[in-house]
Amino acid sequence: MKYIGAGYVIPVSRLPVKNGVVVLDDNNTVVDLTTADQLPSADIQWFDGFIVPAWINTHCHLELSHLKGQTQTGKTLIPFIKDVLNFRDVPLEDIQSAAIAADREMYDNGIQAVGDISNKTDTAEIKRQSRVMYYTFVELFDFMHPEITQSTIDNYKPVYEAHPDMNGCKKSYAPHAPYSVSPDLFEYINRVNSDGATVSMHNQETTDEDDLFLTGQSGFRDFFGQLGFSMNGFRATGTTSIRYALQNMVPKARTLLVHNTLTRPDDVAFAHDWSDSVFWATCPNANLYIENRLPDYSVFINADARMTIGTDSIMSNWQLSVWEEIKTIKKYTSFIPLETLIRWGTLNGAEALGYDACGAIEVGKTPGLVHINVPWNGDRTAVQNSHSKRIL
């Protein structure tokens, strides 16, 4: 048995435990959560500060890790996407070396599972060998041109087949974003994914996205034209982008909407009426890096939305740490309780990705454990002076 204790253990699914001790078997499965005074003779590995379950990062692009520092901050989304496209022609060994380093960084920072967007096969073998569990979202887009839908499907089948679906890894097809996926491609994704799949989609990250659907006037028109895809045939729906997307998706699937920087209360209500399996991923540091803005978190809290946390890629961030994302939210939106944010970064993320054994320190689970190196003091915890490090 292993005995790991701290001034406080934050189980997430129950109240914090003062002088808590997590008892684990040789497979790192939780056998008990008790207190130090109940184990007077145990050899307890003690940590100053507090312990939480390992983090769940619900949104990342591991294959873009080689682009760290290659784009400027605050350029907004469309120029950022152009940078991604411009820097794609890189030797495979450089891509994989950077991805291995990013994978190691996430593991060391205490990330247990990652929802990862993939457009290529470059990171498949890294995921197969990683100590992190990856839910790979093979991302499809046809720029709303149904004449290339079938070729898109044919091109991405090898990507899907290459990524692992074993030893904790999972995969499914995912639409890129409302503005880049036709109804025909949505229909294919709905048809081929399993009933228990999670489907991830970038959502309402920039004003140009909703503008395209509301009025038809949007920077995406010129951008797609530059890529050789005219939008002359596109007709605005008169509704926000999320409504177009959800009307073409399947409500029985777990749906993970990512970024949601400009999502409004009526959009959240629409999504919750559409399905009770909707999760919302926020990537605050990436939002600041790309658009220099954050979502209005009160919109989601008031709707009792199931929030999760992602890091996005290291191309659009300064590090890959869920705890650093929590620190950013707490810095700019201090009214959100710290326990709530920890739940966003653990149990909610595990539920969104279907990792039932993770996300909470409960008997029978194998959540992994993370040490935060400052004393627990509820909302007065000195989070800005702290860091997150994996224990196991």
Side-chain angles (χ1 to χ4, degrees):
M1 292 291 181
K2 302 173 188 175
Y3 302 88
I4 298 177
Y8 271 90
V9 173
I10 316 301
V12 177
S13 56
R14 54 183 275 202
L15 293 174
V17 179
K18 187 176 182 179
N19 293 325
V21 179
V22 186
V23 184
L24 306 110
D25 65 17
D26 292 339
N27 296 316
N28 292 330
T29 301
V30 177
V31 175
D32 194 12
L33 173 56
T34 184
T35 56
D37 62 343
Q38 298 298 310
L39 299 167
S41 61
D43 182 14
I44 301 172
Q45 184 182 6
W46 196 261
F47 290 85
D48 294 329
F50 61 97
I51 290 172
V52 298
W55 308 111
I56 309 296
N57 177 4
T58 55
H59 185 71
C60 191
H61 297 251
L62 187 65
E63 66 189 29
L64 300 182
S65 299
H66 61 287
L67 300 179
K68 180 179 181 179
Q70 295 297 308
T71 186
Q72 297 168 317
T73 60
K75 291 174 68 174
T76 70
L77 183 63
I78 292 178
F80 176 82
I81 296 174
K82 290 179 180 178
D83 284 345
V84 173
L85 298 175
N86 289 337
F87 291 121
R88 280 276 184 165
D89 189 16
V90 176
L92 180 59
E93 57 267 28
D94 293 346
I95 293 172
Q96 293 182 328
S97 176
I100 289 169
D103 171 76
R104 185 182 304 117
E105 178 182 346
M106 286 195 283
Y107 181 81
D108 290 345
N109 287 336
I111 292 173
Q112 191 83 344
V114 177
D116 188 66
I117 304 296
S118 290
N119 301 112
K120 295 185 175 182
T121 62
D122 298 347
T123 59
E125 188 58 32
I126 295 168
K127 293 173 182 176
R128 193 169 278 110
Q129 298 183 25
S130 177
R131 291 173 291 181
V132 175
M133 297 183 293
Y134 283 92
Y135 196 125
T136 298
F137 298 111
V138 176
E139 184 179 70
L140 302 183
F141 47 89
D142 60 3
F143 302 104
M144 291 205 180
H145 278 253
E147 68 272 16
I148 68 165
T149 299
Q150 188 58 52
S151 63
T152 296
I153 293 167
D154 293 341
N155 288 339
Y156 276 88
K157 280 183 178 178
V159 179
Y160 182 87
E161 291 167 358
H163 282 275
D165 189 11
M166 56 185 294
N167 297 329
C169 288
K170 306 180 184 185
K171 59 186 175 182
S172 61
Y173 285 104
H176 167 250
Y179 55 80
S180 60
V181 179
S182 70
D184 288 354
L185 190 52
F186 272 120
E187 192 278 329
Y188 173 79
I189 294 168
N190 297 340
R191 176 161 44 86
V192 297
N193 280 337
S194 66
D195 288 345
T198 298
V199 178
S200 173
M201 182 182 69
H202 297 81
N203 178 62
Q204 293 175 303
E205 193 174 354
T206 183
T207 54
D208 283 299
E209 181 176 332
D210 273 341
D211 287 346
L212 180 66
F213 289 89
L214 288 168
T215 68
Q217 302 304 309
S218 166
F220 280 115
R221 281 190 173 276
D222 290 340
F223 175 55
F224 284 177
Q226 292 167 12
L227 296 176
F229 296 98
S230 169
M231 297 202 74
N232 290 337
F234 175 79
R235 296 292 178 266
T237 61
T239 64
T240 52
S241 62
I242 189 175
R243 298 178 187 234
Y244 159 77
L246 295 183
Q247 287 165 350
N248 283 283
M249 295 172 74
V250 178
K252 65 181 179 181
R254 288 189 300 268
T255 302
L256 179 63
L257 301 171
V258 180
H259 292 301
N260 315 299
T261 320
L262 300 169
T263 303
R264 306 180 311 196
D266 56 330
D267 294 323
V268 177
F270 180 88
H272 288 178
D273 286 343
W274 173 77
S275 172
D276 60 3
S277 298
V278 173
F279 295 83
W280 308 83
T282 184
C283 308
N285 284 321
N287 293 157
L288 292 172
Y289 196 108
I290 298 171
E291 289 269 340
N292 199 28
R293 70 174 93 194
L294 291 172
D296 180 354
Y297 290 112
S298 66
V299 167
F300 302 95
I301 291 170
N302 292 341
D304 198 25
R306 285 181 288 184
M307 299 294 292
T308 72
I309 293 176
T311 63
D312 215 331
S313 74
I314 195 64
M315 181 185 183
S316 58
N317 208 328
W318 297 272
Q319 68 281 305
L320 298 174
S321 166
V322 170
W323 182 243
E324 292 299 322
E325 303 297 323
I326 288 173
K327 287 164 65 173
T328 295
I329 299 172
K330 198 64 177 168
K331 179 179 180 180
Y332 293 101
T333 319
S334 60
F335 71 86
I336 306 177
L338 183 55
E339 282 188 65
T340 297
L341 295 177
I342 291 172
R343 185 183 183 98
W344 291 7
T346 55
L347 186 56
N348 285 8
E351 291 174 348
L353 298 181
Y355 285 113
D356 296 337
C358 301
I361 301 172
E362 295 179 0
V363 173
K365 291 184 180 288
T366 52
L369 298 179
V370 169
H371 172 227
I372 309 297
N373 66 325
V374 294
W376 175 259
N377 195 22
D379 276 352
R380 293 187 295 277
T381 300
V383 296
Q384 303 306 331
N385 300 322
S386 67
H387 65 257
S388 166
K389 187 174 182 180
R390 177 181 291 275
I391 298 172
L392 55 80

